[in-house]
Amino acid sequence: MRQANQPALEQIVEDVLPAELYEFQATLSNRARVDCLIRFSERGGDLAVDSKFPLESYRSMLAAGDDATRIVAERQFKVDVKKHIDDISSKYLIKGETRDLALMFIPAESIYSELLQHFADLVEYASKKRVYLASPNTIHGWLTNLRSVYIDTKIAAQASLIQREVRLILDDVGRLGERVESLEGHFGQASKDIEQIKTSAKKVLDRGEKIERVELTAGDEASAPALKD
């Protein structure tokens, strides 16, 4: 059970990231199932986030009624946390599939603060194993930055796509202009040819009309036979 007013990992991720950037209970190639996998576009860039912090050991340590009991509980807490760190490091750091670091989600700011202040050796051990602690506030801030980068990248990609499409349109317009000029040239030549054809046709028509109107010359009339009464 998590402490009151402390958001669970799932709630934080769902509140901050778009759905395409994460997967809950994702199964990796080694068959290990991670609580949350943050998806990145590049190969081998997925980030594993574990949320199975050993709360029972922590509660036992807090509930210790005397120093002797607390010392024993604290020792067990360290053993449990180290084992958990080892599990995260061995299961979720897969070359070529995930990033070379993983996050261990600490379910409450108070626990996170306790670890930083009184268990520096555990924090250092986790760092050597490439496992980094993340409280609700720290992971929320980190995911918010990730979302900003993701949005900026999408905008840049869309801007690049728009610029490319504009260039293609401008190229098409340029080719269209060339084709219009070429077509105008063809029309001009065709118009000239049509005018020449019309001129030739008119000449032929004029000659035909002259032939149709031709009259016999005086010489022709003289050679014609006379009609008798």
Side-chain angles (χ1 to χ4, degrees), residues 197-211:
I197 291 172
K198 288 169 66 177
T199 300
S200 298
K202 188 173 185 305
K203 289 180 179 179
V204 172
L205 183 61
D206 289 344
R207 287 173 182 162
E209 289 176 349
K210 287 180 181 179
I211 293 172

Side-chain angles (χ1 to χ4, degrees), residues 47-64:
L47 176 68
V49 184
D50 179 274
S51 63
K52 297 182 290 292
F53 185 79
L55 277 175
E56 290 305 317
S57 294
Y58 180 77
R59 291 195 181 103
S60 296
M61 186 176 62
L62 291 182

Side-chain angles (χ1 to χ4, degrees), residues 50 52-54 57 73-91 104 106 115 119-131 133:
D50 179 274
K52 297 182 290 292
F53 185 79
S57 294
E74 183 177 302
R75 187 180 298 120
Q76 185 60 48
F77 173 70
K78 285 187 174 183
V79 169
D80 291 345
V81 172
K82 277 190 175 183
K83 181 181 183 304
H84 190 54
I85 292 170
D86 290 339
D87 288 343
I88 294 173
S89 180
S90 62
K91 292 179 181 179
M104 181 170 70
I106 311 301
L115 287 168
F119 295 93
D121 55 333
L122 287 178
V123 177
E124 183 179 358
Y125 182 80
S127 178
K128 289 179 179 179
K129 289 288 187 174
R130 306 295 295 168
V131 176
L133 281 58

Side-chain angles (χ1 to χ4, degrees), residues 166-218:
V166 168
R167 283 196 298 270
L168 292 175
I169 291 172
L170 292 176
D171 289 343
D172 288 341
V173 171
R175 283 191 292 269
L176 179 61
E178 294 173 358
R179 289 167 183 168
V180 168
E181 291 179 359
S182 176
L183 186 60
E184 287 177 345
H186 288 311
F187 276 138
Q189 183 62 45
S191 178
K192 183 178 179 181
D193 292 343
I194 290 173
E195 289 300 322
Q196 290 177 347
I197 291 172
K198 288 169 66 177
T199 300
S200 298
K202 188 173 185 305
K203 289 180 179 179
V204 172
L205 183 61
D206 289 344
R207 287 173 182 162
E209 289 176 349
K210 287 180 181 179
I211 293 172
E212 192 175 37
R213 292 195 306 268
V214 71
E215 294 178 358
L216 294 175
T217 62

